[in-house]
């Protein structure tokens, strides 16, 4: 009996998502993200070493490296530096070599100057020890895929979930359930199942298409586990918002707050060397790091799993409470 | 005029709707104060060393180039080097010279820095005597903030679009749209009433945002005002289209998201990648592109380029308005 009721609910939810063009939108975003990663991001994320320009009319610098570019006059050097403000100019026309550069951050300026000078002396080829397993392109692919998946689940998917639920709430479907001979939790479980399934499929496709087949398949199991955690949390928060807030317009505000204030510091802290002291208190930071560690094959602490299961359970109980309250309004 | 009063009344009753318009202002204030966050550390070199491995003078020398962190064990150091969000270069002593370690997934610039560090250390005494001539950077907008602020402004202008679309969709769902069809009101009257609300609030929140983030001269402020007014108007018009096209809340949300993505992605990608030639002209089809370019040009002090963008936006306004009137008039004929 329970299985049958659940199946019927599941089918109804799927139909509703399909009629709301939810799946179509997910495919559209998948295509968009894939195009962005493969055509734009990978090419954009490149930073060459500083270019070094040398003005040496007498030809005094004989031991210089091949990375040094010769210019024939100071004017040429100035135009080169103006268009390439990170470049460094070396003026060897006087008795001593003079370094010319445009000011940036203090530490980096020192390094640029010393680096440029070091290119004038012959040095044996030294290559640093490589400790990691990813190439720069693999890293870039994993990083952007992780960001896009998080963004899609936390922001875009969340909005879709809420739209569906507000529609049901508006149509009075939730109240109808008060009199249906179905277990109350089945209504919630079928919703969670639909979103979980569509998120998992999305995560599989996004990972395989953008990280690459071999690399993607290797990290897929842990990534899927993290996707499920994130998807459940977002679906439950979406359900809670839909049950507690009056209408969709109120929800868009809650959504904006999440999208801007919750996501920005997380992205900054997790992807750049900008680290905030308080970021450990940010719940989304841990979820995001879980996903990121899954992509990079780093260990994920069991405390995080216990914590997220706890959060999911608490959210589920809260949603159930809100659901019963919503049903109770009728009687 | 009376209709407009009713529209305003319904907006003012909806507190949450008012707060959405305040949001960009809040972000602008946050950004204004966040200027103190040091974004320049992004491109900086970071070094990781083992405790008690490097002599003090070597650590001091490394600190000239960037922050140095000491780790207790080799495993900790390896983990720090491999950590994907940073570009830590591991440094260890090897007799009299240094040796370095990297994760191998860093950008070329960091790999090159790690490869040349031992040579720099050998030549440290010679390098200190060289004269360095530092020039002032010519461009003002070099930090990330330069792109953040116009992006927030675009979001502020976009609010009018979201609001109008939502307004129309909820009118449709409540059946008010059918009532409107039989009211003694011409299509342009209806459009004006609807557009004005989103337009007013969108431009108001953009103006406040701009006033917080930019310090402009009076002449440039006039151009900025024109940019804001025109693009808020276009955004409000697009909101009307979105509302008209979507037959329910869910499809409405999908359309709004697509529009929002286009609005933000096109100018940001153009600015970051540096698109030029015919593609740049095509990009102007998205109205946020000339708005973004105009704001960037203004903050760089280039009023001439901004005036050109005002012109493009004016063309947008006329086109979208005419298109909408045309479509509504045709539908009215069909209904009649």
């Amino acid at each position: 009996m329970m299985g049958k009721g659940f199946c019927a609910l599941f089918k109804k939810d799927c139909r509703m998502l399909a009629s709301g063009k939810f799946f179509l939108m997910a495919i559209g975003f998948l295509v968009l993200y894939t195009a962005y990663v493969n055509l734009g991001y990978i090419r954009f994320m490149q930073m060459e070493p500083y270019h070094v320009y040398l003005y040496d009319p007498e030809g005094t610098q004989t031991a210089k490296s091949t990375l040094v570019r010769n210019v024939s006059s100071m004017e040429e050097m100035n135009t080169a530096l103006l268009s390439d403000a990170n470049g460094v100019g070396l003026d060897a026309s006087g008795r001593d070599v003079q370094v010319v550069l445009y000011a940036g951050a203090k530490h980096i300026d020192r390094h640029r100057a010393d680096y440029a000078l070091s290119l004038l002396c012959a040095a044996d080829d030294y290559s640093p020890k490589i400790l990691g397993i990813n190439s720069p392109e693999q890293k870039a692919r994993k990083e952007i895929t992780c960001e896009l998946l998080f963004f899609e689940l936390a922001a875009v998917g969340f909005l879709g979930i809420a739209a569906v639920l507000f529609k049901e709430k508006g149509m009075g479907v939730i109240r109808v359930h008060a009199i249906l001979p179905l277990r109350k939790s089945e209504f919630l479980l079928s919703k969670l199942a639909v979103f979980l399934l569509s998120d998992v499929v999305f995560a599989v496709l996004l990972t395989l298409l953008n990280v690459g087949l071999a690399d993607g398949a290797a990290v897929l199991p842990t990534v899927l586990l993290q996707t499920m955690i994130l998807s459940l949390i977002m679906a439950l928060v979406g359900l809670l918002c839909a049950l507690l807030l009056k209408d969709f317009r109120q929800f868009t505000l809650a959504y904006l707050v999440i999208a801007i204030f919750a996501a920005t510091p997380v992205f900054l802290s997790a992807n750049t060397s900008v680290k905030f002291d308080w970021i450990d208190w940010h719940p989304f930071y841990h979820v995001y790091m879980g996903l990121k560690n899954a992509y990079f094959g780093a260990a994920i602490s069991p405390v995080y799993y216990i914590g997220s299961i706890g959060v999911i359970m608490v959210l589920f109980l809260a949603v159930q409470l809100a659901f019963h309250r919503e049903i109770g309004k009728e009687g | 005029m009376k209709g407009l009063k009713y529209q305003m009344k319904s907006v003012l009753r909806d507190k949450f709707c008012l707060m959405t318009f305040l949001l960009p202002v809040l972000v602008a204030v946050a950004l204004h104060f966040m200027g103190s966050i040091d974004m320049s550390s992004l491109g900086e070199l970071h070094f990781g060393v083992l405790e008690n491995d490097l002599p003090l003078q070597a650590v001091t020398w490394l600190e000239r180039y960037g922050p140095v962190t000491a780790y207790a064990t080799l495993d900790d150091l390896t983990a720090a080097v491999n950590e994907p969000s940073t570009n830590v270069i591991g440094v260890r002593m090897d007799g009299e010279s240094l040796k370095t370690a990297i994760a191998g997934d860093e950008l070329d610039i960091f790999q090159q820095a790690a490869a040349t560090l031992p040579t720099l250390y050998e030549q440290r005494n010679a390098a200190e005597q060289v004269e360095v001539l530092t020039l002032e950077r010519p461009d003002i907008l070099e930090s990330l903030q330069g792109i953040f602020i116009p992006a927030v402004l675009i979001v502020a202008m976009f609010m009018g679009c979201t609001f109008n679309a939502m307004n129309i969709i909820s009118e449709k769902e409540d059946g008010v749209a059918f009532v409107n069809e039989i009211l003694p009101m011409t299509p342009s009257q209806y459009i004006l009433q609807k557009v004005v609300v989103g337009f007013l609030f969108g431009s108001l929140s953009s103006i406040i945002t701009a006033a917080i983030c930019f310090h402009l001269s009076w002449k440039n402020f006039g151009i900025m005002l024109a940019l804001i007014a025109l693009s808020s108007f276009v955004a409000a018009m697009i909101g009307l289209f979105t509302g008209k096209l979507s037959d329910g809340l869910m499809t409405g949300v999908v359309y709004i998201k697509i529009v929002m993505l286009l609005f933000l992605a096109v100018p940001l990608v153009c600015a970051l990648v540096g698109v030029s030639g015919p593609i740049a002209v095509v990009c102007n089809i998205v109205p946020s592109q000339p708005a973004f370019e105009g704001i960037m040009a203004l903050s760089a002090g280039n009023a001439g380029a901004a005036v050109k963008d005002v012109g493009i936006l004016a063309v947008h306004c006329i086109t979208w308005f005419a298109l909408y009137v045309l479509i509504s008039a045709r539908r009215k004929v069909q209904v009649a």
Side-chain angles (χ1 to χ4, degrees), chain B residues 257-315:
Chain B
K257 269 190 316 204
I258 293 170
V259 173
M260 183 163 79
L261 212 75
L262 273 179
F263 257 55
L264 276 175
V266 169
L268 281 183
V269 168
C270 283
L272 290 174
V273 180
V275 176
S276 62
I279 305 174
V281 177
V282 173
C283 282
N284 278 321
I285 292 176
V286 179
S288 62
Q289 166 68 8
F292 188 87
E293 268 194 349
I295 297 165
M296 293 290 263
L298 266 190
S299 54
N302 184 356
V307 170
K308 182 201 82 187
D309 291 313
V310 170
I312 298 175
L313 277 172
V315 173

Side-chain angles (χ1 to χ4, degrees), chain B residues 36-194:
Chain B
S36 51
I37 291 181
D38 196 5
M39 291 287 189
S40 65
S41 73
L42 285 181
E44 225 171 43
L45 297 171
H46 291 253
F47 302 102
V49 298
L50 279 178
E51 276 171 12
N52 307 321
D53 179 38
L54 265 67
L56 191 64
Q57 49 96 5
V59 174
T60 327
W61 175 77
L62 272 181
E63 276 170 345
R64 293 174 63 234
Y65 297 145
V68 179
T69 320
Y71 295 92
T73 66
L74 196 59
D75 285 344
D76 289 348
L77 180 60
T78 312
V81 171
N82 275 332
E83 158 68 37
S85 68
T86 58
N87 296 300
V88 172
I89 299 173
V91 184
R92 292 187 65 189
M93 215 58 205
D94 183 26
E96 276 303 293
S97 57
L98 296 180
K99 60 178 184 181
T100 52
I102 50 173
D105 57 10
E106 287 90 350
L107 297 173
D108 284 352
I109 197 163
F110 296 108
Q111 300 213 5
Q112 182 74 3
T116 48
L117 200 69
T119 322
L120 293 191
Y121 185 67
E122 273 167 32
Q123 297 169 353
R124 62 190 182 278
N125 293 326
E128 266 165 33
Q129 284 144 22
V130 172
E131 191 191 341
V132 177
L133 177 67
T134 326
L135 310 169
E136 282 300 313
R137 247 177 220 262
D139 48 331
I140 314 157
L141 281 173
E142 44 168 348
S143 65
L144 276 172
Q145 256 196 329
I147 278 187
F148 264 142
I149 293 174
V152 174
L153 259 179
I154 298 281
V155 172
M157 295 164 184
F158 180 79
M159 281 300 155
C161 170
T162 316
F163 173 77
N164 271 351
M166 282 295 171
N167 193 342
I168 299 229
I169 293 168
S170 57
E171 273 196 1
K172 263 187 186 170
E173 297 218 322
D174 298 342
V176 180
F178 291 118
V179 178
N180 282 341
E181 300 262 324
I182 52 160
L183 285 183
M185 193 165 50
T186 63
S188 44
Q189 267 178 328
Y190 175 75
I191 299 168
L192 272 182
Q193 281 182 19
K194 280 284 165 227

Side-chain angles (χ1 to χ4, degrees), chain A residues 195-215:
Chain A
F195 289 118
L196 191 64
L197 207 67
S198 78
D199 283 347
V200 164
V201 172
F202 187 87
V204 170
L205 291 175
L206 189 75
T207 308
L208 291 182
L209 286 175
N210 292 313
V211 178
L213 277 180
D215 278 346

Side-chain angles (χ1 to χ4, degrees), chain A residues 25 32 47 67 98-99 101-103 107 110 114-115 118 126 128-129 131-132 136 139 156 249 270 275, chain B residues 14 23 44 64-65 82 84-85 99-104 108-109 112 120 123 131 133 135-137 257 261:
Chain A
M25 179 184 73
L32 189 77
M47 227 168 135
L67 290 169
Q98 192 191 32
V99 180
L101 47 80
Y102 277 107
H107 291 306
R110 278 202 204 112
D114 291 358
Y115 165 74
S118 79
Y126 172 81
K129 199 170 149 196
L131 299 177
K139 180 197 173 188
V156 182
R249 251 188 281 167
K275 305 279 181 215
Chain B
D14 194 346
L23 244 142
E44 225 171 43
R64 293 174 63 234
Y65 297 145
N82 275 332
S85 68
K99 60 178 184 181
T100 52
I102 50 173
D108 284 352
I109 197 163
Q112 182 74 3
L120 293 191
Q123 297 169 353
E131 191 191 341
L133 177 67
L135 310 169
E136 282 300 313
R137 247 177 220 262
K257 269 190 316 204
L261 212 75

Side-chain angles (χ1 to χ4, degrees), chain B residues 19-38:
Chain B
M19 279 168 77
T20 36
F21 286 115
L22 275 179
L23 244 142
V25 179
L26 283 179
V27 177
V29 173
L31 266 182
H32 191 67
F33 288 107
M34 245 177 49
S36 51
I37 291 181
D38 196 5

